[in-house]
Amino acid sequence: MARSRFRPNRRNIAGLLKTPETHALIERKTRAVEGAAAAAARSDGWEGQFRTDVEAGDKRARGAVIGDYSTPYPEVSRRALLRGLDAARDVD
């Protein structure tokens, strides 16, 4: 049986990643994760000081939520970030 091979159209993918709409979507989803992670940390009894880094350059857009370094327990921050990821699914 012959294996089919997926070959991505890099030019179209790169074009999609450069659009203002994609940049806005990445920022909305990243901010949603930050807010949900902070809320999850507060529900666990911590302040929840997460930071968001969104970069929209010429070639790509990227968003990152940086963990809560104010807690002495990194597993609290990790658990809150994981719970926050679910919030991004509901954001359009």
Side-chain angles (χ1 to χ4, degrees):
M1 176 185 274
R3 290 177 46 181
S4 62
R5 185 172 173 182
F6 175 75
R7 297 178 70 176
N9 185 329
R10 294 183 190 276
R11 184 174 299 184
N12 285 344
I13 292 171
L16 175 69
L17 293 176
K18 292 179 185 180
T19 65
E21 294 85 9
T22 301
H23 292 186
L25 176 67
I26 290 170
E27 182 154 2
R28 283 192 310 271
K29 287 189 173 276
T30 305
R31 301 263 181 228
V33 170
E34 177 191 20
R42 281 192 300 273
S43 72
D44 285 342
W46 296 98
E47 183 62 32
Q49 298 175 359
F50 294 90
R51 294 181 308 169
T52 301
D53 179 25
V54 178
E55 179 184 324
D58 291 340
K59 296 187 178 185
R60 69 176 181 148
R62 105 182 149 73
V65 179
I66 296 113
D68 182 7
Y69 294 112
S70 67
T71 176
Y73 305 106
E75 64 272 4
V76 171
S77 176
R78 192 172 23 255
R79 185 173 52 244
L81 281 170
L82 288 173
R83 287 169 44 193
L85 285 175
D86 289 333
R89 292 182 187 156
D90 299 332
V91 174
D92 287 330

